[in-house]
Amino acid sequence: MKKIIVFGATGSIGQQVVKQALEAGHQITAFTRNKAKVSMEHAHLRIVEGDVLDAHSVEKAIEGHQVVICALGAGRKGTVRSLGTKHIIQGMQKHGIDRLICQTTLGAGDSEPTLNFFWRHIMFGWFLKKAYLDHQEQETEIRNSHTAWTIVRPAAFTDGPLTKTYQHGFSAYDSDLRLKISRSDVAHFMLQQLDNKAYLRKSPGLSY
Protein backbone atom coordinates (compact mmCIF):
# COMPACT_ATOMS: atom_id res chain seq x y z
CA MET A 1 0.00 0.00 0.00
CA LYS A 2 1.25 3.47 -0.90
CA LYS A 3 0.12 6.97 0.02
CA ILE A 4 -0.58 8.66 -3.32
CA ILE A 5 -1.79 12.14 -4.22
CA VAL A 6 -3.52 12.49 -7.57
CA PHE A 7 -3.61 15.85 -9.35
CA GLY A 8 -6.33 16.09 -11.97
CA ALA A 9 -8.36 13.63 -9.91
CA THR A 10 -11.71 14.65 -11.39
CA GLY A 11 -10.56 14.47 -15.01
CA SER A 12 -11.31 11.52 -17.25
CA ILE A 13 -7.94 9.86 -16.57
CA GLY A 14 -7.69 10.96 -12.95
CA GLN A 15 -11.03 9.43 -12.04
CA GLN A 16 -9.87 6.08 -13.37
CA VAL A 17 -6.55 6.37 -11.53
CA VAL A 18 -8.33 7.08 -8.23
CA LYS A 19 -10.84 4.25 -8.74
CA GLN A 20 -8.25 1.62 -9.66
CA ALA A 21 -5.79 2.74 -6.99
CA LEU A 22 -8.43 2.41 -4.28
CA GLU A 23 -9.38 -1.03 -5.58
CA ALA A 24 -5.70 -1.98 -5.29
CA GLY A 25 -5.66 -0.94 -1.62
CA HIS A 26 -3.71 2.32 -1.79
CA GLN A 27 -4.43 5.42 0.30
CA ILE A 28 -5.43 8.21 -2.05
CA THR A 29 -5.64 11.97 -1.80
CA ALA A 30 -7.65 13.50 -4.63
CA PHE A 31 -6.61 17.10 -5.28
CA THR A 32 -9.36 19.04 -7.04
CA ARG A 33 -10.64 22.57 -7.55
CA ASN A 34 -14.17 21.46 -6.65
CA LYS A 35 -14.91 18.79 -4.03
CA ALA A 36 -18.44 18.43 -5.37
CA LYS A 37 -17.04 16.82 -8.54
CA VAL A 38 -15.71 13.84 -6.59
CA SER A 39 -18.57 11.34 -6.51
CA MET A 40 -16.63 8.44 -4.97
CA GLU A 41 -16.61 7.64 -1.29
CA HIS A 42 -14.06 5.30 0.25
CA ALA A 43 -12.39 4.80 3.61
CA HIS A 44 -8.98 5.29 1.98
CA LEU A 45 -9.95 8.38 -0.05
CA ARG A 46 -9.26 11.91 1.16
CA ILE A 47 -10.34 14.91 -0.89
CA VAL A 48 -8.38 18.15 -0.84
CA GLU A 49 -9.79 21.22 -2.51
CA GLY A 50 -7.29 23.59 -4.07
CA ASP A 51 -5.98 25.20 -7.22
CA VAL A 52 -2.95 23.68 -8.92
CA LEU A 53 -2.01 27.21 -10.03
CA ASP A 54 -1.62 28.17 -6.36
CA ALA A 55 1.83 26.94 -5.37
CA HIS A 56 1.12 27.16 -1.63
CA SER A 57 -1.99 24.95 -1.74
CA VAL A 58 -0.16 22.39 -3.88
CA GLU A 59 2.84 22.34 -1.56
CA LYS A 60 0.63 21.90 1.51
CA ALA A 61 -1.36 19.05 -0.06
CA ILE A 62 1.71 17.10 -1.17
CA GLU A 63 3.23 16.75 2.29
CA GLY A 64 3.17 13.23 3.70
CA HIS A 65 2.74 11.30 0.45
CA GLN A 66 5.04 8.75 -1.15
CA VAL A 67 4.00 9.11 -4.79
CA VAL A 68 2.59 11.90 -6.92
CA ILE A 69 0.43 11.06 -9.94
CA CYS A 70 -0.29 13.92 -12.32
CA ALA A 71 -3.15 13.72 -14.81
CA LEU A 72 -3.86 17.41 -15.22
CA GLY A 73 -6.17 18.52 -18.00
CA ALA A 74 -7.09 21.96 -19.26
CA GLY A 75 -9.09 21.33 -22.41
CA ARG A 76 -7.74 23.15 -25.43
CA LYS A 77 -6.32 26.21 -23.72
CA GLY A 78 -4.06 27.65 -21.08
CA THR A 79 -0.87 26.64 -19.34
CA VAL A 80 -2.45 24.73 -16.47
CA ARG A 81 -0.48 21.54 -17.16
CA SER A 82 2.96 23.13 -17.32
CA LEU A 83 2.56 25.67 -14.53
CA GLY A 84 0.67 23.23 -12.34
CA THR A 85 3.39 20.62 -12.84
CA LYS A 86 6.04 23.21 -11.95
CA HIS A 87 4.25 23.83 -8.64
CA ILE A 88 3.93 20.08 -8.04
CA ILE A 89 7.65 19.56 -8.54
CA GLN A 90 8.47 22.45 -6.21
CA GLY A 91 6.23 20.93 -3.55
CA MET A 92 7.81 17.50 -4.00
CA GLN A 93 11.29 18.90 -3.61
CA LYS A 94 10.36 20.83 -0.46
CA HIS A 95 8.92 17.74 1.22
CA GLY A 96 11.47 15.23 -0.08
CA ILE A 97 9.03 13.26 -2.24
CA ASP A 98 10.76 11.60 -5.14
CA ARG A 99 8.38 9.59 -7.31
CA LEU A 100 6.38 11.34 -10.03
CA ILE A 101 4.20 9.61 -12.63
CA CYS A 102 2.75 12.07 -15.14
CA GLN A 103 0.42 11.65 -18.10
CA THR A 104 1.15 13.83 -21.14
CA THR A 105 0.39 12.83 -24.73
CA LEU A 106 1.71 10.66 -27.51
CA GLY A 107 3.38 12.98 -30.00
CA ALA A 108 5.17 15.08 -27.40
CA GLY A 109 8.93 15.29 -27.43
CA ASP A 110 10.75 12.59 -29.36
CA SER A 111 7.51 10.63 -29.93
CA GLU A 112 6.34 13.15 -32.57
CA PRO A 113 7.13 10.79 -35.51
CA THR A 114 4.47 8.40 -34.15
CA LEU A 115 1.70 10.76 -35.24
CA ASN A 116 -0.12 10.39 -38.52
CA PHE A 117 -1.02 13.35 -40.76
CA PHE A 118 -4.34 13.98 -39.02
CA TRP A 119 -2.86 14.22 -35.53
CA ARG A 120 0.33 16.05 -36.52
CA HIS A 121 -1.16 18.74 -38.74
CA ILE A 122 -4.85 19.04 -37.92
CA MET A 123 -5.25 18.16 -34.23
CA PHE A 124 -1.92 19.21 -32.70
CA GLY A 125 -1.00 21.58 -35.49
CA TRP A 126 -4.21 23.57 -35.22
CA PHE A 127 -7.20 22.39 -33.16
CA LEU A 128 -5.30 21.32 -30.02
CA LYS A 129 -2.16 23.37 -30.61
CA LYS A 130 -2.24 25.22 -27.26
CA ALA A 131 -2.81 22.01 -25.33
CA TYR A 132 0.00 20.30 -27.25
CA LEU A 133 2.45 23.13 -26.53
CA ASP A 134 1.40 23.03 -22.87
CA HIS A 135 2.25 19.32 -22.75
CA GLN A 136 5.62 20.04 -24.35
CA GLU A 137 6.44 22.61 -21.68
CA GLN A 138 5.10 20.26 -19.01
CA GLU A 139 7.54 17.58 -20.12
CA THR A 140 10.40 20.09 -20.06
CA GLU A 141 9.58 20.98 -16.45
CA ILE A 142 9.64 17.29 -15.51
CA ARG A 143 12.86 16.46 -17.35
CA ASN A 144 14.64 19.41 -15.75
CA SER A 145 13.61 18.27 -12.27
CA HIS A 146 15.50 15.98 -9.93
CA THR A 147 12.49 13.75 -9.34
CA ALA A 148 12.31 10.04 -10.13
CA TRP A 149 9.86 10.65 -12.96
CA THR A 150 8.02 8.58 -15.52
CA ILE A 151 6.19 10.39 -18.32
CA VAL A 152 3.34 8.34 -19.77
CA ARG A 153 2.35 9.30 -23.33
CA PRO A 154 -1.03 7.83 -24.26
CA ALA A 155 -2.60 7.91 -27.71
CA ALA A 156 -6.14 9.29 -28.26
CA PHE A 157 -8.50 8.39 -25.42
CA THR A 158 -11.52 6.15 -25.80
CA ASP A 159 -14.25 5.10 -23.36
CA GLY A 160 -13.44 1.46 -23.96
CA PRO A 161 -13.08 -1.16 -21.22
CA LEU A 162 -10.09 -2.07 -19.10
CA THR A 163 -8.22 -4.68 -21.15
CA LYS A 164 -4.74 -4.61 -19.55
CA THR A 165 -3.56 -5.53 -23.04
CA TYR A 166 -1.83 -2.73 -24.91
CA GLN A 167 1.48 -1.71 -26.43
CA HIS A 168 3.93 0.43 -24.49
CA GLY A 169 7.48 1.65 -24.84
CA PHE A 170 7.39 1.26 -28.62
CA SER A 171 9.56 3.05 -31.17
CA ALA A 172 8.37 6.42 -32.42
CA TYR A 173 8.60 4.93 -35.91
CA ASP A 174 6.37 1.93 -35.17
CA SER A 175 3.65 1.85 -37.84
CA ASP A 176 1.66 -0.97 -36.21
CA LEU A 177 -0.34 1.26 -33.86
CA ARG A 178 -4.03 2.11 -33.69
CA LEU A 179 -3.27 5.45 -31.97
CA LYS A 180 -6.09 4.81 -29.50
CA ILE A 181 -6.20 3.69 -25.88
CA SER A 182 -8.99 3.48 -23.30
CA ARG A 183 -8.86 5.77 -20.29
CA SER A 184 -9.09 2.70 -18.07
CA ASP A 185 -5.99 1.20 -19.64
CA VAL A 186 -4.09 4.48 -19.33
CA ALA A 187 -4.81 4.51 -15.60
CA HIS A 188 -3.86 0.83 -15.34
CA PHE A 189 -0.47 1.46 -16.96
CA MET A 190 0.21 4.49 -14.80
CA LEU A 191 -0.45 2.49 -11.64
CA GLN A 192 1.79 -0.32 -12.89
CA GLN A 193 4.66 2.18 -12.65
CA LEU A 194 4.35 2.35 -8.87
CA ASP A 195 6.56 -0.72 -8.55
CA ASN A 196 8.09 -0.83 -12.02
CA LYS A 197 11.54 0.73 -12.49
CA ALA A 198 11.85 -0.14 -16.18
CA TYR A 199 10.55 3.28 -17.22
CA LEU A 200 12.30 5.36 -14.56
CA ARG A 201 13.19 8.73 -16.18
CA LYS A 202 11.74 7.49 -19.46
CA SER A 203 8.72 8.44 -21.56
CA PRO A 204 6.89 5.33 -22.80
CA GLY A 205 4.17 5.69 -25.39
CA LEU A 206 0.88 3.86 -24.86
CA SER A 207 -1.47 2.61 -27.57
CA TYR A 208 -3.34 -0.39 -28.96
Side-chain angles (χ1 to χ4, degrees):
M1 180 186 72
K2 288 184 168 59
K3 295 182 72 175
I4 304 167
I5 184 167
V6 180
F7 289 91
T10 57
S12 63
I13 299 297
Q15 290 182 56
Q16 286 293 327
V17 169
V18 171
K19 176 178 177 291
Q20 293 183 35
L22 289 170
E23 289 172 351
H26 299 293
Q27 290 188 357
I28 302 299
T29 297
F31 186 94
T32 176
R33 282 180 297 174
N34 185 354
K35 286 184 175 182
K37 290 187 176 181
V38 181
S39 58
M40 282 179 276
E41 292 185 6
H42 195 284
H44 290 167
L45 174 63
R46 183 169 72 102
I47 304 166
V48 172
E49 196 169 67
D51 188 343
V52 77
L53 298 181
D54 175 16
H56 177 71
S57 64
V58 171
E59 178 188 304
K60 185 178 178 181
I62 281 176
E63 186 176 9
H65 293 86
Q66 297 169 291
V67 180
V68 174
I69 293 182
C70 178
L72 290 174
R76 295 165 51 189
K77 54 189 177 181
T79 56
V80 171
R81 298 173 185 87
S82 54
L83 186 54
T85 300
K86 180 179 181 179
H87 292 160
I88 289 167
I89 291 168
Q90 289 172 346
M92 292 176 67
Q93 292 172 338
K94 174 153 189 178
H95 294 297
I97 300 163
D98 197 41
R99 188 70 172 114
L100 172 63
I101 302 166
C102 183
Q103 169 251 313
T104 63
T105 184
L106 191 63
D110 59 4
S111 69
E112 192 270 342
T114 308
L115 302 177
N116 57 26
F117 180 89
F118 174 76
W119 277 100
R120 182 179 294 113
H121 297 289
I122 297 175
M123 296 302 287
F124 289 158
W126 173 63
F127 190 66
L128 297 175
K129 185 174 182 178
K130 288 184 179 179
Y132 178 69
L133 293 175
D134 195 21
H135 273 309
Q136 295 278 43
E137 182 60 30
Q138 180 184 32
E139 289 202 0
T140 298
E141 291 286 349
I142 295 169
R143 290 178 181 279
N144 288 340
S145 75
H146 297 291
T147 61
W149 54 266
T150 298
I151 294 172
V152 178
R153 293 170 169 168
F157 302 145
T158 75
D159 291 323
L162 175 64
T163 70
K164 303 182 183 180
T165 305
Y166 40 75
Q167 299 188 63
H168 54 84
F170 40 77
S171 165
Y173 297 93
D174 192 336
S175 60
D176 186 27
L177 299 170
R178 291 173 53 192
L179 298 183
K180 293 182 179 180
I181 184 80
S182 75
R183 292 171 174 84
S184 297
D185 278 335
V186 175
H188 177 264
F189 181 76
M190 292 179 74
L191 290 170
Q192 294 303 300
Q193 307 318 303
L194 293 173
D195 299 306
N196 180 17
K197 305 301 182 185
Y199 289 124
L200 192 61
R201 295 190 172 89
K202 295 183 179 179
S203 310
L206 193 61
S207 182
Y208 294 133

